[in-house]
Structures are given as structure tokens and as C-alpha cells.
Amino acid sequence: MLLLRARILGGLTPGGPTGTAYDRAVGGTTLLLDREDALDRVTDAPVDVLVIGGGITGAGIALDAATRGYHVALVERADLASGTSSKSSKLIHGGVRYLEQGDVGLVYEAARERERLRRLAPHLVRPLGFVVPVNSARSSVLLRLGLIIYDGMLGLRNVRRHQRLGPAAVQDAVPGLRRGADHGGYLYVDCRTDDARLTLAVVQRARRMGAAVANHTEVVELLRSGDRVVGATVRDRLSGAERDVRARWVVSATGVWADRVRGLAPGRGAGWLTPSKGVHLVLRGVDVPLRRAVIVDSGARDRRRVFLVPWGEQVYVGTTDEPHGGSVDEMRLDPPEAGYLLHAVNASFGTTLALRDVVGAWAGLRPLLRGQQEAASAASKDLSRRHAIFEDPVGLVTVTGGKLTTYRQMAQDVVDRLAAADGNRRRCVTSRIALGARGTVADGLGRARAVARTWGVGDDVAAALYARHGDAAPAVLSACIRDGEAETLVPDLPYLVGEVRWAVQHELGRTLDDVLQRRTRVSLRHASAGGAGIDRAAAVMGTVLGWDDAERQRQVDDYLGRVRAERGVVPLRQIETLRS
Ligand code: FAD
């Protein structure tokens, strides 16, 4: 263990010609004890709050509680954001959809949180224009009316007012579109994010505020004193070691696994949740040319809408929303889901895309509360996107439901509840706590570009690093240069080899899967999930974590096995034979 710590921290010697940006980051990072130290810390002394689950909700709770003076531990059984929080549509919604359902409260809440997140994490929450083509005068009038009301309601919280587009402007924004825009369309602006990195940014901030965070650490038992839950037994899934963590409060932010965690308490068998599955496909941008995101009809009898979002050289399309009866541990894309999305794209774009054209895919589960799903399918799929907080048994607080967009409010609601019970009068301050970037995007980009230029590195690389790392971008780049790892990991994707090392040393990346699926999004954006970059990443990680050849191979096999399982109907072998 000591050797591992020395290796992980060993790369932290300041270096680079200017030293400044890197030194600052090193100064900050050495304060962040690594995963192994975090585990020691939480077993040595009881904590106030033990958060189970390192998705966006658990991350938000850890940050909120830490800022209110609580001693916090967060444990995640797999990797940070490895549950639903890396499988979302990656949108920070302003709530325009909820207007259709007349849920004004949800519109306000979503818009308010979107604005906050744009301010707190400007590098990760960026405006994204959506084109909504219209095919009849009636739908044009209805949509216009809705957007006027939406703009009026949001006022200063709006990213930008909607815009009417003629047929030529729609064509210009979505050159590939062949159908559905006889009457032009509308442009409204929402926001996009990288869900896994947003979760990481919140976790990093919580760690800076003193929270002890351990990924690959599973709660396997709840500790009890009489009727009260007073902690948990956790298993380090990397070493197999088990230890007890005592806590005054245990908060389960375990999404679709919430029933299982609650079931660890005797007599709590009946489930609250009924998950709903949503899948996305990644396509090549050249196959579906678009400059803006676009919302099109599914072309199926359900008359739902499907969106396509440009993502560098790729485009992703989503999503489905169907009850999921199987195990919550096994997520894979099934043939009807892939068929549904491909049909929607082909119907609108006049293409003949098939499975062989799919670059990547992901599948996620929404934790819907029992009873709400029926209401959701009867009226609108989005009725059930609110969150719920329960305390049962005493000492175990469960929060589930909600959205990526509103995670901060969910966390505030949970910690308000703990604080009220404790008589803690400190108020929530997370709406003012920056998440990895200060100031405007222009300022942050300017700083990243200035450092990149001193190294002779292009503005595009600086911009890509800023989008992922915010104010740490100059430090990341300096580290990549110092280690001779500033080349791209996978051709045509914006990730640098040195980001792999950075992920281990600074971002709790411990498995190849952590790094290629969530610190970077290589697994989603490359037909063979990274190709030769997979071995390169394993080699870099191996030098930091001390992997021998057998362990490197095991990591590669495990990673590919997981990608293959999730892609399901789009097997890697088939993808590898795609035309280049
Ligand atoms: P999760 O991210 O699932 O986190 C729960 C964590 O608990 C998991 O990482 C799991 O490993 C861990 N865990 C479970 N059991 C244990 C244990 N015993 N010990 C330790 N850890 C444990 N919202 C938006 O705002 N915008 C969108 O565009 C959007 N799109 C979506 C699209 C789809 C298809 C889906 C399914 C959801 C979407 N959402 C979106 C909703 C959003 O993604 C979720 O609300 C959010 O990610 C849930 O986060 P969570 O932290 O509650 O759950």
C-alpha cells in the first residue's frame, strides 16, 4: 500500500519551464489524500455523514455536507459516476419539456439550477442550440406559443431567447435533414455537459473541503445499534479488505440500487423503485451531418421525439424510455432499442444506417418510484423526474429520483434535513462554490491557450483540455509535456496520453475502465473502444500503479468485456470491421 501511494504521489514533483500553473495544482493536489488514505481515515474515527454512492447525487451531498462542517465519507462500490450518472443524455435541461406537462415549478427549478451550473462549472456546462423543425403551420404556432411562454417565464435565467428559422436556416443548421422541416423550425438554447466529469468535479470539490472519498468500495452491511443504522461495513473491491465505518447519519444515494441497500436492513424487503431504461447510440458525424443539435420525430407509433447532438467528430442520438425488468447490474443495448433509434435517424435523414455504422452505445437506468411509472406512461414520460427522500430505518436516509440538472437542489434538501435534525444552523452554500473553474469561459480558455502557446501547443488542444479540466487545464498540459505524453491517445479523439497518468494521480482512476469510460469518453466515441490506445493507456497506468504484464492484460480484458456487454447488439468485433 505504501509503495502504491508513493508511486501515485511520485509524479507530483513540480516541473515544466514555468512551473507556476503546475506548482499551484500540485499544491492543491497534495492536500487531496488518495483513495487508500481516505479508507484509513474513515475507519480510524467515526464520521458525521457516510454517503453511499458516488453518482452525481452522492457527490452533491458529500460537498454540501462538507461545506456545512460535517465530517464526511463517500464510498462508491464501482467507480465515480459508473451508474446512471455516466449514462445520461448529457444535457443540463432548462426544463422546456416540463412546460408541456404544465409543471411550472419544475421549469423554474431546472432553469435556476442550469444557470447556477453554468456559473459554477462554465467549462463543463456549455450552451447548446437545439433546432426543432416543424412540418405544419399548426405545430409551428403551438411551438412558438410554448417558446414565447418559456422565454417569458425564464427572463434572465434563460440562456438565450428562441429564434424562428426558415427552411433554409434549418437546412444550414442541420444539413443532413431530409424531412420534417417544411415550415422551417425554431432554435432554442439549452446546455450540454459531460456527466461523468461533472460528477468528478463535484467530488473533487468535496475532497478539497475535507470529504474522504473512496471508489471501488462497496457497502456490504449496515451497522445497527438497536433500531438505528449507525454505519456500514465496506469492502474494498480492489484489495478485498473489509472494515467498519461508523457514522451518525448514513445517506444512500444509490440510484437504482437504493432498494438493495435499504434491503441490507432487516425486514426491509419491499422495493420502492421500478427502473426505466434509456439508451443512446453514437454515430459518425459524416453520416449524419449537423451543426446544431436537433429534435426529430421518432417515426414510430409512439410519436415520441428523439434528439441528435453533435459531439466532436461524432453525433449521439437518444433516447428510449421503457420499463426495465431485468437486473440493474446488467445494462446492454437490445436489438429493438437500437432499431428504434436507427429508424428515427433514417426516417429524418434519409439515410440507411444500420448496426454496422454505429460507433458506440450506452444504456442507463432511471430510478423511478413505484406507482409513478404508470402515471408517466399514461401522461408523459417526464412526470416522474422528481426526487424523493425517505428515512427508513432510522439513521438511513435514502434519496432517489431526480435529474443530473437538479442534483444540487436534491443534495441541499437532504442535508437540510440532517441539519434540521442536528440543530446545525449552517446554511447551504453550494450555489456559490465553484466546481473547477472560476470566471468566464473566455478567461479560462485564455489562460489555457496562453500556457499552450508557451509549449507550442495548438489552441484546439488547449480548448479541449479546458472543457474537461477547467482551471487545471494548464497544469494537465504541463504534466503531459513534462512526461513526454502530450500526443493524442486515440486518433481523432481529443484525449492526450498524459491525461491517463493525470487521472490516476489526481482523479482517483484505478482501473483501465475508470479512465477509458469516464475520465475520458474513449469507450463511447471509438468503434473499437480505443484500438491501440487501449494498450497504451494500460501501459501508462501500469507504470503508476505497478501492474505486471498479467495485470495489464487482465485490465484490458475487463475493460473490453464491459464495453462489449454494454454495447450488446453492437459487438466490438463487428465494429472493428467498420469501413474506416
Ligand atoms: P447513480 O449515478 O446511479 O449513482 C448511484 C451510485 O451508487 C452508483 O454509482 C452505484 O455504483 C453506487 N452504489 C450502489 N450500491 C452501492 C453500495 N452498496 N455501496 C456503494 N455504492 C453503491 N438528467 C439530466 O438532468 N439530464 C439528462 O440529459 C438526463 N438524461 C438521462 C438519460 C437517461 C437514459 C437516464 C437513465 C437518465 C438521465 N438523466 C438525465 C437522469 C440522471 O442521469 C440521473 O438522475 C442521475 O444521474 C442519477 O444520479 P444518482 O447519483 O442518483 O445515481
Side-chain angles (χ1 to χ4, degrees):
M1 189 74 82
L2 276 178
L3 181 65
L4 178 63
R5 279 179 203 159
R7 275 210 185 94
I8 293 169
L9 296 171
L12 297 179
T13 319
T18 64
T20 49
Y22 188 61
D23 288 347
R24 269 201 300 279
V26 169
T29 306
T30 45
L31 296 175
L32 295 184
L33 296 172
D34 70 13
R35 170 186 175 278
E36 288 70 24
D37 286 312
L39 282 173
D40 288 346
R41 267 203 292 161
V42 298
T43 38
D44 288 348
V47 296
D48 296 315
V49 183
L50 170 63
V51 182
I52 313 174
I56 191 73
T57 310
I61 293 166
L63 175 59
D64 192 321
T67 57
R68 294 202 224 185
Y70 284 118
H71 182 197
V72 179
L74 181 151
V75 291
E76 159 57 49
R77 73 173 191 149
D79 185 29
L80 305 169
S82 58
T84 307
S85 297
S86 59
K87 321 277 188 191
S88 79
S89 302
K90 313 192 190 317
L91 303 175
I92 299 297
H93 297 294
V96 68
R97 297 180 302 155
Y98 309 122
L99 199 60
E100 286 178 42
Q101 301 139 30
D103 196 337
V104 173
L106 207 46
V107 177
Y108 273 123
E109 182 180 81
R112 184 193 65 215
E113 293 303 315
R114 182 182 65 183
E115 276 319 281
R116 283 178 173 159
L117 282 174
R118 283 185 69 201
R119 191 166 32 80
L120 301 176
H123 58 309
L124 282 168
V125 179
R126 310 284 278 265
L128 174 71
F130 274 88
V131 172
V132 190
V134 284
N135 220 11
S136 71
R138 186 171 176 275
S139 45
S140 178
V141 169
L142 287 176
L143 185 58
R144 177 144 190 256
L145 208 63
L147 289 170
I148 288 173
I149 295 172
Y150 181 72
D151 287 343
M153 277 174 64
L154 262 54
L156 291 176
R157 283 183 185 151
N158 212 350
V159 183
R160 215 172 299 154
R161 291 182 72 79
H162 82 273
Q163 213 183 309
R164 177 86 174 99
L165 302 177
V170 172
Q171 204 56 44
D172 189 51
V174 193
L177 194 68
R178 291 288 168 270
R179 255 197 240 151
D182 292 354
H183 285 249
Y186 292 87
L187 175 75
Y188 78 93
V189 182
D190 219 322
C191 285
R192 71 189 308 161
T193 192
D194 177 329
D195 46 9
R197 290 209 67 94
L198 180 64
T199 304
L200 178 68
V202 180
V203 166
Q204 295 289 64
R205 194 60 213 229
R207 293 173 76 204
R208 290 207 160 84
M209 299 299 300
V213 176
N215 52 352
H216 301 287
T217 302
E218 179 173 13
V219 164
V220 291
E221 213 174 298
L222 294 173
L223 304 175
R224 295 166 63 93
S225 170
D227 284 345
R228 190 177 175 94
V229 172
V230 293
T233 303
V234 301
R235 180 180 299 145
D236 179 344
R237 291 177 69 179
L238 300 182
S239 71
E242 288 192 6
R243 22 183 141 193
D244 288 348
V245 181
R246 304 220 156 248
R248 288 198 305 109
W249 293 103
V250 177
V251 178
S252 167
T254 45
V256 290
W257 292 270
D259 281 339
R260 193 183 292 172
V261 170
R262 184 168 154 267
L264 294 174
R268 260 87 187 175
W272 289 329
L273 297 173
T274 165
S276 149
K277 184 177 174 193
V279 305
H280 295 78
L281 297 179
V282 182
L283 303 168
R284 301 191 318 166
V286 290
D287 289 336
V288 198
L290 23 123
R291 295 195 180 93
R292 305 262 194 194
V294 61
I295 297 179
V296 298
D297 284 335
S298 69
R301 265 189 297 182
D302 63 6
R303 299 183 60 86
R304 287 182 73 239
R305 278 166 290 178
V306 160
F307 56 79
L308 291 95
V309 176
W311 195 12
E313 302 290 310
Q314 296 82 35
V315 163
Y316 66 86
V317 51
T319 177
T320 56
D321 194 349
E322 294 301 328
H324 176 72
S327 161
V328 291
D329 295 322
E330 281 165 25
M331 266 305 85
R332 64 163 199 281
L333 202 86
D334 291 322
E337 297 159 336
Y340 178 91
L341 293 178
L342 285 171
H343 175 72
V345 175
N346 288 334
S348 292
F349 285 76
T351 45
T352 53
L353 299 176
L355 282 176
R356 67 175 180 281
D357 302 302
V358 178
V359 173
W362 70 90
L365 287 180
R366 303 171 183 89
L368 303 190
L369 293 169
R370 227 173 251 293
Q372 287 193 316
Q373 189 157 60
E374 293 74 23
S377 47
S380 155
K381 297 282 182 184
D382 284 320
L383 275 178
S384 45
R385 301 300 190 261
R386 289 187 177 279
H387 65 275
I389 302 171
F390 308 90
E391 186 181 351
D392 177 44
V394 180
L396 176 68
V397 175
T398 299
V399 53
T400 191
K403 299 185 298 296
L404 199 69
T405 307
T406 51
Y407 84 86
R408 199 207 57 80
Q409 184 63 55
M410 289 169 73
Q412 177 176 345
D413 291 350
V414 171
V415 183
D416 278 350
R417 191 170 171 142
L418 308 189
D422 285 343
N424 179 346
R425 297 166 72 91
R426 290 172 76 164
R427 309 198 35 172
C428 176
V429 292
T430 51
S431 61
R432 300 200 297 275
I433 295 198
L435 299 170
R438 286 172 198 280
T440 64
V441 169
D443 292 344
L445 267 180
R447 288 191 294 271
R449 283 181 178 146
V451 172
R453 281 179 196 147
T454 66
W455 294 107
V457 171
D459 284 357
D460 51 337
V461 174
L465 286 172
Y466 174 74
R468 287 191 288 283
H469 300 277
D471 288 347
V476 177
L477 180 59
S478 300
C480 291
I481 304 253
R482 181 204 60 196
D483 295 329
E485 293 171 345
E487 70 275 23
T488 49
L489 182 65
V490 178
D492 298 329
L493 291 182
Y495 310 106
L496 306 186
V497 173
E499 287 183 83
V500 174
R501 187 180 299 277
W502 184 271
V504 179
Q505 291 177 333
H506 301 253
E507 299 177 339
L508 297 173
R510 286 295 179 275
T511 69
L512 189 61
D513 191 68
D514 295 349
V515 174
L516 296 184
Q517 294 242 40
R518 290 166 295 277
R519 304 305 179 281
T520 67
R521 311 313 296 267
V522 166
S523 62
L524 304 180
R525 303 178 69 182
H526 191 258
S528 53
I534 299 173
D535 285 334
R536 182 78 201 273
V540 171
M541 290 190 75
T543 60
V544 191
L545 293 166
W547 293 344
D548 58 17
D549 288 351
E551 179 59 16
R552 268 206 305 275
Q553 192 54 49
R554 199 190 67 74
Q555 291 281 338
V556 171
D557 292 345
D558 179 69
Y559 163 67
L560 288 175
R562 286 168 192 266
V563 176
R564 197 175 280 119
E566 185 166 352
R567 289 188 182 187
V569 70
V570 187
L572 273 172
R573 196 153 45 105
Q574 196 176 335
I575 292 169
E576 279 162 356
T577 60
L578 263 176
R579 62 182 187 272
S580 59

